Structures are given as structure tokens and as C-alpha cells.
Amino acid sequence: MSQASRLRALETEGLLHPRADAVTAALFTEGGFFLAADKVQVKYEMLRAHLLDGVPVTAASAAHGYSRAGFYLVTAAFEQACGVPERGTGC
């Protein structure tokens, strides 16, 4: 799937990151599979960076184009949807 196709699909589903230009995390700046415009992917990687890599909340949120408060909203939504996983396990 081309990047243009992915962007169209994300836009159709309402899943475009509103601040994709603010994403500076290395995974997203290197190109390839990771797309800063994919809101779900960016949120997942933001949580993963904090929970598994130990990146501080302020740094993880800023690198993924979110505020610190936004980070906690994403965390709460994830916990509500999946419960709180044990360290190292998935949803």
C-alpha cells in the first residue's frame, strides 16, 4: 500500500494524527513502516516508549506530538479498553 493510499484510508476513518508534523520520535522520522500521520500507531508507540523503554512521560508525549495531559488521556483510554497489562505483556 502506498503512503498516499494509507493517508486516504486514515483520513476516511478519522484516524489522522492532528499534529503529525510535531512527531519527532526516531521510528517515525526514519520512514518505512511507521507513519506519523497514523494516530493509532503514534499513540501505541508513545505508550510503548514510556512503559517498555522507560522514556519519561514528558519526553514520550512531546516526541509523539502530544501534550503531557494528552499522554494521560491516551493511557486512560488504553487501560479502559485493555485493562492494565503486566509489564512485558500485550493487551
Side-chain angles (χ1 to χ4, degrees):
M1 176 181 276
S2 72
Q3 185 168 335
S5 304
R6 286 177 71 186
L7 289 171
R8 279 194 302 278
L10 290 168
E11 184 174 27
T12 298
E13 297 300 322
L15 297 175
L16 280 177
H17 188 321
R19 298 188 57 228
D21 58 326
V23 177
T24 60
L27 288 173
F28 295 95
T29 60
E30 296 168 356
F33 174 76
F34 295 96
L35 182 63
D38 185 334
K39 181 169 54 176
V40 175
Q41 188 176 52
V42 172
K43 287 178 177 182
Y44 173 84
E45 291 301 331
M46 176 176 67
L47 293 176
R48 189 200 56 71
H50 174 66
L51 295 171
L52 298 180
D53 296 341
V55 177
V57 170
T58 52
S61 58
H64 292 85
Y66 285 92
S67 66
R68 185 172 155 270
F71 174 90
Y72 289 113
L73 290 172
V74 170
T75 300
F78 180 80
E79 288 174 351
Q80 184 176 8
C82 299
V84 181
E86 302 250 345
R87 194 169 223 8
T89 64
C91 178

